[in-house]
Amino acid sequence: MRMEKTVERIEKIISIESISKEIKGRNILKNVSFDILRGEILALVGPNGAGKTTTVRCLSGIFNIDSGVINKMEGLDISVMPEKDFFWEKYTGWKNIKICFDYFKGILTREKIEYYINMLGLSGFLTKKVYTYSKGTKRKLSFVLALLSDPDLLILDEPMSGLDPLSRKNMRNLILELNEDGKSILLTSHDLAEVEKLADRVIVMKDGKILVDNLINDTLSKYKSLEDLFFDIVGRN
């Protein structure tokens, strides 16, 4: 966990109260409650099927919740980098950026877009058609698309999937820079070492429930690493 940064734990930008979601007869989320605070990097971690992506989809409005309440601060602009990339594959990266910029009413300057592109090491690929991209290059492009509206809250669902070590470092640095610039960030990840480098706060989920929220519990202080906590808490619940 990042010890050098103190999050202002005052303003709630989203409050999730006892939300539940059933999909195809299976209870994916079971009375999930937590807050997202202004200026924090919050990580959702858990095994496959824990409910992380479903939580993200409920927050973004892709899914309707079956019960509970999601309260969002008025005027809050949210952008999502989904777990599964979506592009116009026969178009170039630049064409995809232009389409999304126009459709989602992007407000970033060309200079800022190019700055993010260069930080991610993406500039050499954007004149090529997206179907030629590797998985990691597609993740980088998805990140840029999520930034076009200059959101207040950036939701990143497994952002570093498929990235090589250098690309992970570049993306990590960009996430930290965006946070320093005032953006709140919610991310999901299976990479616990990466979460430790990024997150101010961690929520551990399993079977659609929250097991640990270290805003409420001091559980993390009892373990040498997030990995130790994860295997202990998740393994015995």
Side-chain angles (χ1 to χ4, degrees), residues 142-166:
S142 282
F143 200 143
V144 172
L145 298 184
L147 293 171
L148 296 177
S149 66
D150 197 22
D152 304 306
L153 172 62
L154 184 60
I155 300 177
L156 309 173
D157 197 358
E158 295 291 344
M160 297 189 186
S161 176
L163 296 187
D164 60 63
L166 178 58

Side-chain angles (χ1 to χ4, degrees), residues 41-83:
I41 299 180
L42 169 61
L44 297 181
V45 302
N48 292 332
K52 304 182 300 295
T53 293
T54 300
T55 300
V56 165
R57 290 175 178 173
C58 289
L59 282 173
S60 62
I62 296 174
F63 287 166
N64 293 321
I65 57 176
D66 297 328
S67 61
V69 178
I70 299 176
N71 292 311
K72 301 177 183 179
M73 186 179 71
E74 186 175 354
L76 184 71
D77 185 68
I78 302 173
S79 186
V80 181
M81 177 185 177
E83 180 185 26

Side-chain angles (χ1 to χ4, degrees), residues 98-149:
K98 184 180 186 308
I99 291 171
C100 288
F101 187 92
D102 293 341
Y103 185 82
F104 294 108
K105 300 179 180 179
I107 62 174
L108 287 185
T109 64
R110 173 73 177 231
E111 181 181 20
K112 198 68 173 178
I113 293 171
E114 290 182 347
Y115 174 75
Y116 293 145
I117 286 167
N118 288 331
M119 277 201 74
L120 292 171
L122 192 56
S123 56
F125 298 91
L126 293 180
T127 58
K128 301 175 182 179
K129 294 184 178 180
V130 173
Y131 73 82
T132 67
Y133 288 9
S134 67
K135 180 179 180 180
T137 303
K138 288 181 178 181
R139 294 310 281 156
K140 296 175 191 178
L141 181 57
S142 282
F143 200 143
V144 172
L145 298 184
L147 293 171
L148 296 177
S149 66

Side-chain angles (χ1 to χ4, degrees), residues 167-182:
S167 296
R168 282 173 177 261
K169 181 180 178 181
N170 291 338
M171 187 173 285
R172 183 195 318 134
N173 289 339
L174 179 52
I175 290 171
L176 293 172
E177 182 174 311
L178 290 164
N179 182 242
E180 289 298 320
D181 288 342

Side-chain angles (χ1 to χ4, degrees), residues 1 9 14 16 32-37 40-45 200-205 209-220 226 229 233:
M1 303 296 294
R9 296 183 170 178
I14 294 183
I16 297 100
V32 169
S33 298
F34 65 94
D35 298 321
I36 302 174
L37 309 179
E40 74 173 343
I41 299 180
L42 169 61
L44 297 181
V45 302
D200 304 304
R201 173 178 158 220
V202 173
I203 289 176
V204 181
M205 299 184 69
K209 298 179 181 180
I210 291 177
L211 303 183
V212 171
D213 178 348
N214 75 290
L215 180 65
I216 300 169
N217 314 98
D218 191 30
T219 312
L220 282 174
L226 179 58
L229 176 147
I233 299 294

